[in-house]
Amino acid sequence: MGPVSTPSSDAPSSPRRVHLVHFGCQMNELDAELVVGDLARRGWGRTDDAAQADLILVNTCSVREHAEEKVWSLLGTYKPLKKRRPALRIGVLGCMAQRVKGEIARRAPHVDLVLGTSSFRRVVEDLDDVERRGGRIVRTDRRPDPDSLPDADREISVREHRHRAYVTVMRGCDHVCAYCIVPFTRGRETSRRKADVLAEVERLAADGVREVTFLGQNINTYGKDRPDEGGLCGLLEDAARVPGVDRLRFLTSNPFDMTEDMMRRFGALPKVMPWLHIPAQSGSDRVLARMKRTYTAAQYREVVGWARRHVPGVEVTSDFIVGFPGETDEDFALTKALLEETRLVQAYVFKYSVRPNTLAARTLEDDVPEEVKRARNLALLEAQDAISEAANRALLGTVVEVLLDEPSKTDPARMSGRTPGNRLVHVLAGGELAGRLARVRVTDATAHSLRGERVEVEPAPRAWTSSR
Ligand code: 5AD
Ligand code: SF4
């Protein structure tokens, strides 16, 4: 994350510093930002160096075993730091804290705070408690109460990106996909009040944010538990009226909660960017049924068709899991066929990972050998790379609109930003143009990004509104 500006109220003269590591999804990234904001209000600064920190926080992910293994080994590396400096405090937050609970205390006794997915905003007060009384605090009770979601009172001055921001609008998931740990770590779907979400968007817009991405594990059912609030489309329509907001995005969309009418409404809102992340997971109906995904490959194709029909210029992206229990060569061939036929601009591919207590873990044997999973993963990634590269190359010589966002990580002469369809573009431009919309001619294309030259930049920030 970038520099943190620290509000001055009750800040001590030499600030204590937090080192924060996060794993997992965009919501996890934002949750980490919420905590850093809480600490900044109390005068805490940041450090990239764990050895210099007064507090180390690890915001964790449980979606695959590998992400949890990385946390265990990271926690191991903090043990000597704590031994050298017993005043160092260490906290484990988020999904894995929620899932493994007290096991962290047993396997990593040098950890002081274990705060699950409902409790991670308690870092500041729990830290005070630990300082006062010693010992360790473990909080993993889940509060399904919509008014105690951990999203209130965000310190908006603390943000990684100045011109785009995530806003969580709902947490949890009511589906029970057989492979997925999320219902266990994040619980039932709970939506924030629309007025609270809009107030947050207004504050962010007033602070320079032009692009807002709404987050929820199953975002198409936003507001299911608040029937008078108009659902996701109502939220987008209202957010589009917030002065200063030029671009809206949202994720994740699941095929089972998408309707053709929703696509029409997205398509009718120019500020809703033409990008939908709609995970397919598999192209085999047998596998989809065992995953409990409740749609067929044909229905997935239909949903993509609706998007392409009703949302001008839409780009759809997807996730796939290979090696789900019982997946045969034939099943895998169907997945590859779906990917090759839909020609989505981008897809993430994951090897199936058993998650304790899920339906698949309880009822299905993890019977696809690791080398077969690896080979299928590679084959799918290769096929997708060819499609992504062709899709990007098709833009060579054309002019795309990019919100210039931050210095490119790979080339100091460039700024990075996204097209309306969410393609990453590295543009020849200096940092003074951050936050401007630019029309950019595409000069190079790889599978994962574009490079381009400025044709025109809006004369002053906010002179244009984003167009599709
Ligand atoms: N194993 C592998 N991949 C998984 N995902 C979710 N659970 C698992 C699992 N047990 C993938 C899905 C999901 C993405 C966020 O992670 O593709 O869409
Ligand atoms: Fe990981 Fe899912 Fe939790 Fe996000 S919600 S941190 S992807 S387990």
Side-chain angles (χ1 to χ4, degrees), residues 16 18 26-27 66 107 127 156 167 182 187 202 206 235 244 248 267 288 348 371 385 387 392 398 412 435 452-453 461:
R16 291 176 294 173
V18 56
Q26 291 85 347
M27 192 181 289
H66 184 59
R107 284 179 64 178
L127 204 57
I156 58 134
V167 173
V182 169
E202 279 164 15
L235 174 65
L248 291 166
L288 287 168
Y348 299 93
E371 61 275 16
D385 269 7
I387 295 168
N392 280 346
T398 66
E453 289 164 356

Side-chain angles (χ1 to χ4, degrees), residues 22-29 31 59-64 67-68 94-96 117 172 180-183 185-186 217 355:
H22 95 89
F23 295 89
C25 59
Q26 291 85 347
M27 192 181 289
N28 242 27
E29 186 183 331
D31 288 349
N59 199 17
T60 59
C61 174
S62 289
V63 83
R64 281 168 292 275
E68 292 194 353
C95 283
M96 178 177 165
T117 50
C180 187
I181 196 75
V182 169
T185 57
R186 293 198 179 261
Q217 275 81 25
R355 306 315 297 132

Side-chain angles (χ1 to χ4, degrees), residues 76-132:
T77 66
Y78 298 152
K79 206 170 182 168
L81 297 182
K82 176 94 168 192
K83 206 163 180 184
R84 223 177 304 141
R85 257 180 335 114
L88 169 67
R89 297 285 168 249
I90 301 172
V92 179
L93 318 179
C95 283
M96 178 177 165
Q98 187 70 42
R99 195 186 78 72
V100 307
K101 300 181 169 66
E103 195 187 332
I104 294 180
R106 277 195 304 280
R107 284 179 64 178
H110 50 297
V111 169
D112 304 278
L113 297 177
V114 178
L115 303 179
T117 50
S118 291
S119 325
F120 64 92
R121 291 284 302 270
R122 304 223 8 166
V123 165
V124 168
E125 51 195 302
D126 284 352
L127 204 57
D128 283 351
D129 249 28
V130 168
E131 295 306 342
R132 251 194 328 268

Side-chain angles (χ1 to χ4, degrees), residues 186-423:
R186 293 198 179 261
R188 302 291 305 260
E189 288 177 12
T190 329
S191 303
R192 293 178 70 193
R193 233 190 314 258
K194 184 163 73 171
D196 294 344
V197 174
L198 291 172
E200 188 170 318
V201 172
E202 279 164 15
R203 287 199 295 138
L204 288 164
D207 199 45
V209 168
R210 303 183 70 175
E211 177 174 307
V212 172
T213 303
F214 290 136
L215 300 179
Q217 275 81 25
N218 190 40
I219 195 139
N220 297 95
T221 56
Y222 164 76
K224 189 173 81 181
D225 49 342
R226 296 181 179 278
D228 299 331
E229 307 231 331
L232 175 64
C233 294
L235 174 65
L236 291 168
E237 283 156 9
D238 288 355
R241 285 192 279 270
V242 172
V245 171
D246 294 308
R247 291 174 152 203
L248 291 166
R249 303 182 191 276
F250 56 91
L251 77 161
T252 297
S253 296
N254 279 299
F256 24 63
D257 293 306
M258 274 284 197
T259 63
E260 188 169 10
D261 187 53
M262 288 175 101
M263 299 286 189
R264 284 197 190 93
R265 290 176 72 181
F266 301 151
L269 283 168
K271 288 189 183 173
V272 172
M273 292 292 98
W275 170 58
L276 293 168
H277 185 62
I278 316 178
Q281 311 300 3
S282 171
S284 156
D285 292 347
R286 262 172 17 103
V287 173
L288 287 168
R290 275 204 310 278
M291 287 177 166
K292 302 278 182 237
R293 289 290 283 177
T294 70
Y295 55 86
T296 60
Q299 284 167 326
Y300 183 82
R301 288 180 173 87
E302 188 179 25
V303 171
V304 173
W306 292 336
R308 288 179 171 161
R309 197 165 321 134
H310 299 301
V311 185
V314 76
E315 310 276 16
V316 178
T317 56
S318 186
D319 296 338
F320 290 95
I321 297 176
V322 293
F324 189 74
E327 186 188 69
T328 61
D329 286 340
E330 199 190 338
D331 292 320
F332 176 67
L334 289 166
T335 298
K336 192 150 172 279
L338 178 70
L339 179 141
E340 282 171 342
E341 189 199 307
T342 47
R343 298 191 70 79
L344 306 181
V345 67
Q346 204 190 352
Y348 299 93
V349 184
F350 305 104
K351 291 181 289 177
Y352 171 67
S353 163
V354 184
R355 306 315 297 132
N357 298 321
T358 57
L359 185 66
R362 284 184 283 116
T363 61
L364 301 169
E365 193 191 335
D366 182 20
D367 57 359
V368 178
E370 180 57 30
E371 61 275 16
V372 175
K373 285 183 186 170
R374 202 175 311 134
R376 289 179 184 167
N377 188 42
L378 262 177
L380 220 51
L381 282 173
E382 260 174 37
Q384 182 59 50
D385 269 7
I387 295 168
S388 301
E389 190 174 334
N392 280 346
R393 290 189 65 82
L395 293 182
L396 281 173
T398 66
V399 174
V400 294
E401 187 181 86
V402 179
L403 176 60
L404 297 173
D405 185 46
E406 58 196 355
S408 159
K409 292 194 177 80
T410 48
D411 182 347
R414 290 175 188 265
M415 298 278 293
S416 297
R418 300 266 171 180
T419 65
N422 209 39
R423 297 195 205 186

Side-chain angles (χ1 to χ4, degrees), residues 109-175:
H110 50 297
V111 169
D112 304 278
L113 297 177
V114 178
L115 303 179
T117 50
S118 291
S119 325
F120 64 92
R121 291 284 302 270
R122 304 223 8 166
V123 165
V124 168
E125 51 195 302
D126 284 352
L127 204 57
D128 283 351
D129 249 28
V130 168
E131 295 306 342
R132 251 194 328 268
R133 297 188 298 165
R136 172 189 305 121
I137 295 179
V138 179
R139 289 185 198 277
T140 54
D141 45 323
R142 256 202 327 251
R143 281 161 291 167
D145 172 3
D147 294 319
S148 63
L149 286 174
D151 296 295
D153 191 26
R154 171 181 183 178
E155 176 54 58
I156 58 134
S157 67
V158 175
R159 296 201 316 276
E160 183 182 359
H161 308 286
R162 299 317 302 166
H163 307 290
R164 65 185 167 95
Y166 295 124
V167 173
T168 294
V169 302
M170 67 185 299
R171 291 176 179 267
C173 184
D174 283 354
H175 291 283

